[in-house]
Amino acid sequence: MKLFGSSGTRGVVGDGLSPEFVLRVAKAAGTVWDTDRVVVSRDTRTTGEMLSNAAESGLASVGVDVDQLGVVPTPGVVRYCEVEEVPAVVITASHNPPEYNGIKLVGSDGVELSVAELERIENHILSEQFSTATWDEVGHVRTVESANREYVEDLLSSVDREKIAEADLTVALDPGHGAGALTSPEFFRELGCEVVTVNATPDGTFPGRNSEPVGSELEDLCRLVNAADADVGIAHDGDADRAVFVDENGEFIPGESSLAALAAENLSEGDTTVAAVNVSQRLVDVCDEVGADLELTPIGATNIITRIRELWARGESVPIAGEGNGGIFFPNFRLVRDGAFVGAKFLELVADTPASELAAPYEDYHNVRVNLEYETEAELEAMLDAAREYAENSEATPNTTDGYRLDYGDAWVLVRPSGTEPKVRVYAESSDLGRAQELADGAEAALRIALNSVR
């Protein structure tokens, strides 16, 4: 696909992403979808209202009515789509910086569109094949104000509310100024937790921290955990489809570790889990211990969702899936990454065991990630050519599911282009930090030489 990546399409507003482009995407989606009603929603980004208006105009112009939800977490939109049986255009750039925005398309079954469905819409965009409504057939826009409350009520009925309440937990919460600021504080309070917050005002400039909830961005949350004597810290990204954690000592828990802890609790012998090709050895070890199978996909929610559906069609059980960035699926609940739900499932574990002890079995791994930015297609191609040559000359057999992954037994390294930003990413992992850094440095050096050669 040229327009849609691993999780929708994203870009810098005013430099690659415009209202005109959003209008065309909405017109194409409204043309392809066999429906007379579509949802439009957004996260808190400052450009969200402008782009939502463009999406609404595009849909109305092809004769489709619009349910305007306003600012709602992506999993809340997905719930609405499933219940109302209507598709959605979601204006969000998830974890990207504030200058970014993007479009995510959700089907009337409450699941992000498959690659095949996205390609069909993309073909209409590229060929400009759009329906046209006459003046008296254009769609109408109605405002829906109940989506966030209904989402919270659905969450409350789907987790072990009694167990969490009885544990009398204090939760430090960092919604990162994103859509989760409108729902997660209320949700965790209604679970019976004492909730203290930081970065909990909706603000699309993300003044407190960057939208991506990585350890280096969560210093305020770590301090808040200590100051409030909290049992756990929970952080979201911009559209609240991720959850990462800080333990009771104010120490960041890597997303790979929390995924492994949740998988260990939810996987049984004969189950299957699905993860992206940058999967941590932590999850591999859990699968080996419980006798579960592990399926790898290219990075991105769309690819993981597609594989889960394929496994379901074969009658396989997939109780948990996801990536080590906090984007975790509990498919038996709903086929969406849901930061608030993941947070509650982790609280169910914390009710019995301190967060630090939950993470302890998965601390003997170290991860290094490097991002190399590019400006032109020539620079991207040069780095990818260098990655291929680097992989072919290595001692390991490359896994080319998504980029080039080299497994060395004691460690692995992966080089792949980002599906959402103009970057090539290098990932490395080992039980020895020096070894992980060595592998990342080696791959990075090869790519930088190639990058500099075309600049």
Side-chain angles (χ1 to χ4, degrees), residues 36-78:
D36 56 5
R37 181 168 148 237
V38 172
V39 172
V40 173
S41 73
R42 58 188 173 91
D43 63 22
T44 58
R45 292 166 192 275
T46 57
T47 56
E49 185 175 6
M50 173 185 72
L51 298 181
S52 293
N53 290 340
E56 292 163 12
S57 295
L59 291 165
S61 74
V62 299
V64 175
D65 291 336
V66 175
D67 285 3
Q68 181 192 75
L69 302 192
V71 177
V72 178
T74 292
V77 182
V78 165

Side-chain angles (χ1 to χ4, degrees), residues 2 49 102 127 144 204 208 314 319 329 379:
K2 295 181 180 179
E49 185 175 6
S127 62
V144 177
R314 287 170 18 192
F329 295 86
E379 291 177 353

Side-chain angles (χ1 to χ4, degrees), residues 296-364:
L296 297 186
T297 72
I299 289 174
T302 300
N303 299 308
I304 292 176
I305 289 170
T306 298
R307 190 57 181 147
I308 291 171
R309 291 176 123 175
E310 291 171 351
L311 292 166
W312 276 350
R314 287 170 18 192
E316 298 194 31
S317 169
V318 188
I320 189 171
E323 298 175 281
N325 57 15
I328 300 175
F329 295 86
F330 284 88
N332 296 332
F333 165 61
R334 188 167 284 121
L335 196 50
V336 64
R337 300 179 299 187
D338 189 327
F341 184 80
V342 171
K345 298 302 287 183
F346 198 74
L347 290 185
E348 291 176 6
L349 303 186
V350 174
D352 293 325
T353 307
S356 60
E357 293 183 23
L358 292 171
Y362 313 107
E363 291 179 345
D364 293 336

